[in-house]
């Protein structure tokens, strides 16, 4: 029988607008004004809109449904949060049912996402999406996904993908758009779009979008180049300091690539030698004005969150000899963009009897639109992910003509393909994609990019500049791979050997994989296709015209990638820090996360184990909510030493006395400190960065770069306004900036501490003068936001989370946003804390990435595991399960995670039987 709750609209995956000169947000958003107006108009249809249309899209969750293609009966058991557990007798039936059930709850999200990954948003939303589609067609996600399906993936994987697609299509069969989700009813007012059948390649393409958002240091590569217009090489190096190995442990602390075997050996101590070409600097002066490319990338939909330091995650696993359960405990919480519905979909996939024809008994977090479980456990092992952050992209300057591109003194022809973009309500658009041996020319996709490289300082060996250089993108994900095979192999893995075999195929995106099994073993593997560069370290663009650069034919061999198995210390922590020490013979990246979260987790574990203590499931849960600020511990003692004369500023300074550096939502001290931190960054660094990195609309009077304008005009100030949206501007305040400031603390007269006078403040010349000015600025900033009475201040009022429907909920009339969006919630936590409710210090205090889910797996006693999602199972906006987990997520609570047959039966509220 149909569900009895009522909704007015569904939710969707992230989508975005194409490049434009004036940006309105870091994550590109669908500008669907006509759709919003249609929805407003639809409200006038009274009972038809509010009852008939809304209820038509609600899924049936009990009773019986006939489904084409099934071989036997399948049961779908949902608990009180709408989380489904599926029971079948064959792999095909299991994945058919998974596709059917996910389409019931999330098809609008799935449909928008597949149009995004294929560069086909214009088919749904019209001409406003053409430029986004053009860029995505240039990258060719869908093309590569098709190649993977046709030539690389195993036959078993293809069968599973096809079964999933069959299940989705069985749900769609006979249903109009309005019967699937209320958004289609609204879309029907503006065009005649109808959902098409799902295909296996639609699922594979999602991995390309995931890999794009986790691609590593591409933005850092651009930013370093942009900084050359204002800063010299030494200054840029100070803003990208080396990883602090002396205070933040890497993931792997035991083992090396053995000089005897040539493989990574956790017990080896005879490390090889670092490849000198891997760490040598790029060609001197090879930096360029890449602002236009940065603008374009900023507008491409970021499905997982703002690319940069915020994209991360925590995971750790503790051996049973150190736990109260005597079996391993494993925790994971990926840090991604807050979205409605959540990126994750909780689900169990159970063969009633595991056999050769039905191989799965697994549960965890899935992606709507893709079969299998991404993070979770089966009956033998548990696993988790964090982003490894390997540098798998490089930008290449290409000297091009109408005939081709220059390579080793000869002109080579482009690889060319034509793409047709269909536009709802408009004419088809046609684009030509050109590729060099280094990848597609991303600079072809914007008129602003035609002159990229015009001012790039290069060596005398570079070809004549003429009209500048084009920019090509080389990226490991643009080659067909086996990552979809790896998903199913992980789901079936029984031990560390089969786990590592699955990891061997997890080529993109490169992730830190942690492991535990019922026999008490724990482990870690660094997988991924990670390039080996002929020259350079990937931190700046490279010359595409010389074979001396580029990538070697083969990536780092999997057998030489770091791993650990039952390390002596008894636990493993991954939180985007360096994977391994400096003597590792390959360059994984120069742009790690700087280890604040990982070291805090290490410290928490060590303190718990001190004196023979053991760690419980509850301890793991508490660690996930730890919100201690590392930068506060460094700065507050110095801030309290400064003599403040202004009584109002002194009153705020006193908030920091006795503060324990924890960032609870109700903490006034946390609010004030983070305000001070934001203003320190702005005064010391932000105002010295080029406009391409500063927040859009923030204007400064600056001297022009020495390379521009007549000499007699060099001292004349010009008005420059920032160009970057608030959630991707710099300095973002992440733990890279922690390290930058830490390195300067014993240099009180550094040039970085100098800031010009303002209308109300004199110039600062020293560290403490700048700190004093930041405390004053923070006092009045928070007064404006929170009121003059500091007893009413708290961090949560500044640091709020609003969950937004990613199409209709991001723009348009307030009425529609109120219907579809939820929040705000006042949050604790903060940037680079374990409870990583991230915010960008350059842009403000709003929460822009979060622990998108949390889980603590009780290995071997699976039914005592716990989990939580950011939102809920449903994508239907007024379903009881739209955001029914959010309040608990905010409070740090976890739900019981039923897995075994009896436990699932005990929590089942609705049972739906799917019959052939």
């Amino acid at each position: 029988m149909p569900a009895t709750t009522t909704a007015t609209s569904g939710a969707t995956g992230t989508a975005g607008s194409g490049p434009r000169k004036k940006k309105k947000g870091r994550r590109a958003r669908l500008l669907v004004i006509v759709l919003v107006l249609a929805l407003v108009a639809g409200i006038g249809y009274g009972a038809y809109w509010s009852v008939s249309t809304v209820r038509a899209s609600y899924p049936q969750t009990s009773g019986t449904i006939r489904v084409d293609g099934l071989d036997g009966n399948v049961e779908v058991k949902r608990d009180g949060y709408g989380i489904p557990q599926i029971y079948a007798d064959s792999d095909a039936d299991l994945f058919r049912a998974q596709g059917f059930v996910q389409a019931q709850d999330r098809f609008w999200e799935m449909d928008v996402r597949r149009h995004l990954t294929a560069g086909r948003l214009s088919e749904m939303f019209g001409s406003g999406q053409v430029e986004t589609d053009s860029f995505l067609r240039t990258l060719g996600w869908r093309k590569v996904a098709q190649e993977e399906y046709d030539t690389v993936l195993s036959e078993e994987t293809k069968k599973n993908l096809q079964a999933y697609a069959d299940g989705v299509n069985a749900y769609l069969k006979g249903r109009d758009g309005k019967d699937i989700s209320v958004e289609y009813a609204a879309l029907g007012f503006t065009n005649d779009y109808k959902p098409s059948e799902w295909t296996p390649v639609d699922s594979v393409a999602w991995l390309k979008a995931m890999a794009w958002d986790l691609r590593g240091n591409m933005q850092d590569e651009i930013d370093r180049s942009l900084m050359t217009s204002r800063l010299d090489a030494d200054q840029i190096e100070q803003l990208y300091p080396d990883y602090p190995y002396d205070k933040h442990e890497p993931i792997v602390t035991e083992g090396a690539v053995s000089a005897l075997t040539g493989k990574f050996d956790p017990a080896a101590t005879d490390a090889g030698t670092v490849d000198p070409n891997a760490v040598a600097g790029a060609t001197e002066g090879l930096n360029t004005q890449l602002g236009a490319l940065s603008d374009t990338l900023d507008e491409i939909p970021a499905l997982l969150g703002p690319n940069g330091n915020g994209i991360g995650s925590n995971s750790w696993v503790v051996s049973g000899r150190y736990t109260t359960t005597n079996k391993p405990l494993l925790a994971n919480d990926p840090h991604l963009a807050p979205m409605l519905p959540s990126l994750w979909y909780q689900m169990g996939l159970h063969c009633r009897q595991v056999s050769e024809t039905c191989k799965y008994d697994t549960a965890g977090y899935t992606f709507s639109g893709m079969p299998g479980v991404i993070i979770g456990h089966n009956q033998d092992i548990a696993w988790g992910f964090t982003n490894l952050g390997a540098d798998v992209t490089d930008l290449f300057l290409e000297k091009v003509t109408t005939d081709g591109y220059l390579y080793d003194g000869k002109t080579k022809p482009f690889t060319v393909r034509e793409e047709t973009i269909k536009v709802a309500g408009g004419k088809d658009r046609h684009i030509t994609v050109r590729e060099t041996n280094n990848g597609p020319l991303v600079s072809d996709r914007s008129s602003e990019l035609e002159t990229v490289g015009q001012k790039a300082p290069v060596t005398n060996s570079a070809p004549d500049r003429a009209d500048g250089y084009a920019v090509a993108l080389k990226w490991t994900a643009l080659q067909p791979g086996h990552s979809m095979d790896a998903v199913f192999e992980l789901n079936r893995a029984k031990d560390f050997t089969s786990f590592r075999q699955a990891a061997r195929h997890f080529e993109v995106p490169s992730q830190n994989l942690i492991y535990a099994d019922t026999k008490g073993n724990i482990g870690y593997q660094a997988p991924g296709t990670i390039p080996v560069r002929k020259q350079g370290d990937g931190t700046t663009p490279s010359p595409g015209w010389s074979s001396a650069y580029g990538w070697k034919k083969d990536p780092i061999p999997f057998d030489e990638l770091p791993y650990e198995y039952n390390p002596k210390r008894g636990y493993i922590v991954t939180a985007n820090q360096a994977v391994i020490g400096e003597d590792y013979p390959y360059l994984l990246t120069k742009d790690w996360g700087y280890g604040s979260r990982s070291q805090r987790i290490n410290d928490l574990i060590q303190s718990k184990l001190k004196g023979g203590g053991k760690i419980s499931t509850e301890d793991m849960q508490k660690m996930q909510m730890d919100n201690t600020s590392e930068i506060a511990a460094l700065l507050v003692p110095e801030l309290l030493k400064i003599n403040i004369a202004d009584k109002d500023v002194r009153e705020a300074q006193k908030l920091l006395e006795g503060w324990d550096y924890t960032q609870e939502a109700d903490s006034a001290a946390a609010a004030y400190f983070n305000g001070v931190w934001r203003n320190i960054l702005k005064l010391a660094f932000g105002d010295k960065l080029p406009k391409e990195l500063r927040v859009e609309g923030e204007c400064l009077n600056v001297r022009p770069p020495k390379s521009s304008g007549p000499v007699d005009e060099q001292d004349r100030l010009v008005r420059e306004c920032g160009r970057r949206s608030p959630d991707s501007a710099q300095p973002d305040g992440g733990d890279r900036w922690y390290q930058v400031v830490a390195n300067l603390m014993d240099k009180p007269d550094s040039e970085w501490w100098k800031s010009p006078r303002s209308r109300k403040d004199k110039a600062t010349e020293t560290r403490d003068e700048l700190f004093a000015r930041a405390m004053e600025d923070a006092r009045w900033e928070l007064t404006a936001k929170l009121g003059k009475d500091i007893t009413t201040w708290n961090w949560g009022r500044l640091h709020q989370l609003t969950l937004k429907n990613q199409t209709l909920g991001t723009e348009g009339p307030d009425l529609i946003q109120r219907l579809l969006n939820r929040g705000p919630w006042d949050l604790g936590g903060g940037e680079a804390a374990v409870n990583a409710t991230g915010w960008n210090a350059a842009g403000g205090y709003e929460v822009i990435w979060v622990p998108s889910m949390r889980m603590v797996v009780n290995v071997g006693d699976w039914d005592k595991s716990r989990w939580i999602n950011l939102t809920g199972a449903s994508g239907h906006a007024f379903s009881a399960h739209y955001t029914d987990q959010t309040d608990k997520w905010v409070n740090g609570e976890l739900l019981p995670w039923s897995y075994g047959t009896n436990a699932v039966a005990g929590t089942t509220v609705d049972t739906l039987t799917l019959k052939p």
Side-chain angles (χ1 to χ4, degrees):
M1 57 187 290
T4 57
T5 49
T6 304
T8 59
S9 178
T12 151
T14 308
S17 62
R20 59 186 187 275
K21 291 184 180 180
K22 185 171 179 64
K23 304 190 300 296
K24 290 188 177 181
R26 163 61 180 87
R27 285 189 311 143
R29 297 166 178 172
L30 288 175
L31 189 57
V32 287
I33 292 176
V34 289
L35 187 54
V36 170
L37 292 176
L39 185 54
V40 172
I43 292 173
Y45 281 72
Y48 169 77
W49 186 264
S50 62
V51 178
S52 176
T53 303
V54 170
R55 296 187 68 169
S57 65
Y58 268 70
Q60 180 178 337
T61 58
S62 60
T64 300
I65 299 177
R66 297 283 179 179
V67 176
D68 290 345
L70 288 178
D71 296 320
N73 291 348
V74 177
E75 288 181 307
V76 182
K77 298 185 176 185
R78 293 179 183 259
D79 66 11
Y81 289 88
I83 300 170
Q85 305 281 341
I86 298 176
Y87 293 85
D89 293 318
S90 70
D91 292 345
D93 278 358
L94 194 63
F95 295 119
R96 286 188 192 104
Q98 184 180 14
F100 187 94
V101 170
Q102 289 189 336
Q104 281 187 305
D105 282 336
R106 300 279 192 97
F107 186 74
W108 170 261
E109 172 194 4
M110 293 163 59
D111 199 16
V112 172
R113 183 181 293 158
R114 67 161 162 178
H115 279 78
L116 188 152
T117 58
R120 293 172 49 211
L121 288 169
S122 301
E123 294 179 21
M124 296 182 77
F125 301 107
S127 60
Q129 301 306 307
V130 169
E131 290 188 53
T132 293
D133 285 345
S134 297
F135 193 87
L136 295 172
R137 295 285 185 97
T138 299
L139 294 180
W141 294 351
R142 172 76 185 206
K143 178 180 74 73
V144 179
Q146 186 71 59
E147 292 173 7
E148 285 185 0
Y149 186 79
D150 291 341
T151 65
V152 174
L153 296 179
S154 71
E155 288 304 314
E156 183 171 6
T157 293
K158 291 182 184 181
K159 289 178 181 178
N160 293 342
L161 287 164
Q162 186 62 60
Y164 181 89
D166 291 343
V168 175
N169 294 330
Y171 178 72
L172 297 179
K173 185 177 180 181
R175 286 181 166 87
D176 292 330
K178 65 180 176 60
D179 300 323
I180 299 168
S181 183
V182 74
E183 285 93 339
Y184 290 113
L187 200 63
F189 285 105
T190 62
N191 64 53
D192 59 356
Y193 173 82
K194 292 180 175 58
S196 60
E197 288 196 343
W198 194 264
T199 73
V201 180
D202 292 332
S203 298
V204 179
W206 165 236
L207 284 175
K208 299 303 171 186
M210 180 180 171
W212 175 253
D213 283 350
L214 301 175
R215 63 193 179 272
N217 78 334
M218 186 172 172
Q219 191 63 57
D220 287 327
E221 185 175 344
I222 293 170
D223 287 356
R224 284 186 180 93
S225 295
L226 294 172
M227 286 179 184
T228 60
S229 68
R230 290 283 170 204
L231 306 175
D232 61 34
D234 289 340
Q235 290 171 318
I236 294 172
E237 185 176 356
Q238 289 173 47
L239 299 187
Y240 286 90
D242 292 336
Y243 184 85
Y245 286 100
D246 57 333
K247 64 178 183 178
H248 292 164
E249 296 178 15
I251 297 170
V252 174
T253 60
E254 302 172 15
V257 175
S258 172
L260 295 176
T261 66
K263 297 181 179 182
F264 191 88
D265 181 353
T269 57
D270 52 341
T273 303
V274 178
D275 180 354
N277 288 326
V279 297
T283 300
E284 182 181 357
L286 190 58
N287 294 314
T288 184
Q289 292 275 359
L290 293 171
L293 177 58
S294 181
D295 290 350
T296 301
L297 297 175
D298 216 26
E299 292 294 339
I300 297 306
L303 293 178
L304 305 185
N307 187 263
N309 289 338
I311 286 285
S313 303
N314 302 320
S315 69
W316 66 96
V317 60
V318 182
S319 167
R321 74 175 186 265
Y322 293 132
T323 68
T324 59
T325 65
N326 297 317
K327 288 290 180 68
L329 294 173
L330 184 150
N332 199 183
D333 54 282
H335 306 155
L336 307 172
M339 57 185 68
L340 189 56
S342 166
L343 180 78
W344 301 107
Y345 185 94
Q346 295 151 290
M347 178 176 268
L349 301 173
H350 307 279
C351 290
R352 293 188 179 99
Q353 184 173 348
V354 176
S355 65
E356 281 301 307
T357 57
C358 198
K359 305 180 184 68
Y360 298 87
D361 187 9
T362 187
Y365 293 86
T366 72
F367 291 140
S368 300
M370 203 171 87
V373 169
I374 305 302
I375 293 173
H377 71 83
N378 59 30
Q379 66 271 47
D380 296 304
I381 76 164
W383 67 93
F385 286 4
T386 64
N387 194 25
L388 191 149
D391 186 358
V392 295
T393 60
D394 276 339
L395 296 174
F396 286 83
L397 297 187
E398 303 282 4
K399 180 56 191 171
V400 302
T401 68
T402 55
D403 298 323
Y405 61 97
L406 189 68
Y407 190 70
D408 282 349
K410 298 179 180 179
T411 298
K412 299 186 67 172
F414 296 111
T415 300
V416 177
R417 55 186 161 89
E418 304 295 327
E419 296 276 353
T420 299
I421 298 172
K422 296 186 180 299
V423 182
K427 295 181 180 179
D428 292 354
R429 307 291 178 88
H430 303 278
I431 65 169
T432 299
V433 177
R434 302 186 297 172
E435 296 188 15
T436 73
N437 56 357
N438 290 312
L441 291 182
V442 291
S443 54
D444 278 356
R445 294 284 68 87
S446 169
S447 59
E448 293 181 38
L449 297 177
E450 292 176 1
T451 56
V452 165
Q454 280 188 344
K455 298 180 181 179
V458 293
T459 60
N460 293 333
S461 62
D464 179 53
R465 186 190 315 279
D467 292 329
Y469 305 121
V471 180
L473 170 64
K474 195 173 186 71
W475 179 31
T476 56
L478 297 183
Q479 299 298 318
H482 294 86
S483 293
M484 197 69 235
D485 287 334
V487 171
F488 294 112
E489 290 171 355
L490 274 176
N491 283 215
R492 299 192 304 265
K494 301 292 184 184
D495 52 29
F496 194 61
T497 299
S498 52
F499 170 81
R500 290 194 72 215
Q501 182 59 34
R504 182 182 295 272
H505 288 149
F506 207 101
E507 295 162 338
V508 292
S510 185
Q511 299 289 286
N512 296 307
L513 300 181
I514 62 167
Y515 166 93
D517 64 36
T518 55
K519 295 181 180 178
N521 302 301
I522 65 172
Y524 163 84
Q525 177 67 57
T529 298
I530 304 173
V532 178
R533 293 169 178 81
K534 295 177 182 177
Q535 288 192 58
D537 58 9
T539 60
T540 55
S542 297
W545 50 78
S546 171
S547 60
Y549 288 83
W551 295 353
K552 294 183 179 180
K553 179 181 178 182
D554 295 321
I556 300 174
F558 178 82
D559 288 335
E560 296 183 49
L561 289 170
Y563 76 95
E564 286 190 325
Y565 187 56
N566 294 326
K568 295 175 184 176
R569 65 184 176 279
Y571 58 88
I572 301 168
V573 175
T574 86
N576 319 115
Q577 78 271 40
V579 166
I580 195 167
E582 297 173 278
D583 57 353
Y584 182 67
Y586 294 101
L587 177 70
L588 299 176
T589 184
K590 293 284 283 187
D591 291 304
W592 302 111
Y594 280 73
S596 293
R597 285 180 285 109
S598 62
Q599 193 57 48
R600 177 62 179 170
I601 296 167
N602 271 293
D603 292 344
L604 289 170
I605 292 173
Q606 291 166 11
S607 66
K608 190 68 181 179
L609 299 182
K610 188 178 298 184
K614 291 197 172 187
I615 292 173
S616 67
T617 305
E618 292 74 17
D619 292 328
M620 300 283 276
Q621 183 176 345
K622 289 177 182 177
M623 290 179 195
Q624 288 181 324
M625 295 302 295
D626 183 85
N627 56 38
T628 302
S629 170
E630 180 186 274
I631 191 62
L634 175 69
L635 293 182
V636 167
E638 301 304 320
L639 295 174
L640 289 175
K641 294 176 184 177
I642 296 173
N643 184 30
I644 300 294
D646 186 299
K647 65 179 181 61
D648 291 311
V649 180
R650 173 60 183 145
E651 181 185 31
Q653 183 188 36
K654 286 181 179 180
L655 291 172
L656 304 178
E657 295 176 357
W659 180 44
D660 62 359
Y661 316 133
T662 59
Q663 301 170 96
E664 302 294 342
D666 62 358
S667 171
Y672 181 59
F673 171 77
N674 283 314
V676 175
W677 171 235
R678 167 171 146 82
N679 281 279
I680 287 173
L681 291 169
K682 180 177 184 295
L683 293 169
F685 310 105
D687 291 350
K688 300 177 178 70
L689 297 177
K691 61 182 181 296
E692 292 88 354
L693 274 69
R694 298 201 312 269
V695 173
E696 179 183 10
E698 288 192 358
C699 301
L700 298 171
N701 292 322
V702 300
R703 288 184 173 84
K706 293 297 182 185
S707 59
S708 67
V711 174
D712 61 357
E713 294 183 3
Q714 289 300 313
D715 290 331
R716 187 173 66 184
L717 296 180
V718 297
R719 190 74 166 163
E720 262 191 9
C721 298
R723 290 175 46 178
R724 192 166 286 184
S725 56
D727 53 357
S728 62
Q730 292 293 336
D732 62 18
D735 61 359
R736 171 165 69 88
W737 294 99
Y738 291 10
Q739 190 61 36
V740 170
V741 170
N743 289 349
L744 293 171
M745 288 298 286
D746 61 355
K747 301 177 179 67
D749 298 318
S750 166
E751 290 295 313
W752 291 111
W753 302 126
K754 302 182 189 304
S755 63
R757 67 183 299 271
S758 68
R759 284 182 297 178
K760 61 184 180 65
D761 294 303
K762 65 180 183 180
T764 68
E765 298 293 333
T766 67
R767 183 196 72 185
D768 287 355
E769 287 178 0
L770 186 140
F771 282 6
R773 182 166 159 185
M775 284 196 285
E776 179 180 356
D777 290 351
R779 177 27 158 145
W780 300 118
E781 180 187 5
L782 267 62
T783 295
K785 293 178 181 296
L786 302 178
K788 187 173 182 179
D789 183 358
I790 66 172
T791 65
T792 67
W793 289 4
N794 67 66
W795 174 224
R797 286 175 58 203
L798 281 177
H799 190 54
Q800 293 187 324
L801 168 68
T802 299
L803 294 172
K804 295 182 179 180
N805 175 293
Q806 294 302 303
T807 50
L808 299 178
T810 56
E811 304 200 28
D814 288 343
L815 172 62
I816 301 304
Q817 295 194 28
R818 287 198 299 270
L819 288 172
L820 299 180
N821 299 342
R822 299 292 181 269
W825 285 269
D826 295 353
L827 297 190
E831 183 65 32
V834 178
N835 182 22
T837 55
W839 56 288
N840 185 306
Y845 303 97
E846 178 185 2
V847 176
I848 59 174
W849 51 73
V850 293
S852 56
M853 63 79 159
R854 298 185 184 102
M855 73 177 194
V856 177
V857 182
N858 197 318
V859 177
D861 198 351
W862 305 113
D863 294 325
K864 291 183 180 178
S865 301
R866 301 174 186 174
W867 60 354
I868 198 76
N869 205 352
L870 174 63
T871 61
S874 180
H876 299 283
F878 280 93
S879 164
H881 306 309
Y882 191 47
T883 56
D884 57 340
Q885 298 185 49
T886 307
D887 285 343
K888 292 182 179 295
W889 176 93
V890 169
N891 294 328
E893 299 176 46
L894 299 177
L895 300 175
W897 179 352
S898 298
Y899 172 75
T901 303
N902 292 336
V904 170
T907 58
T908 296
V909 172
D910 289 319
T911 300
L912 174 68
T913 302
L914 306 179
K915 289 182 171 291

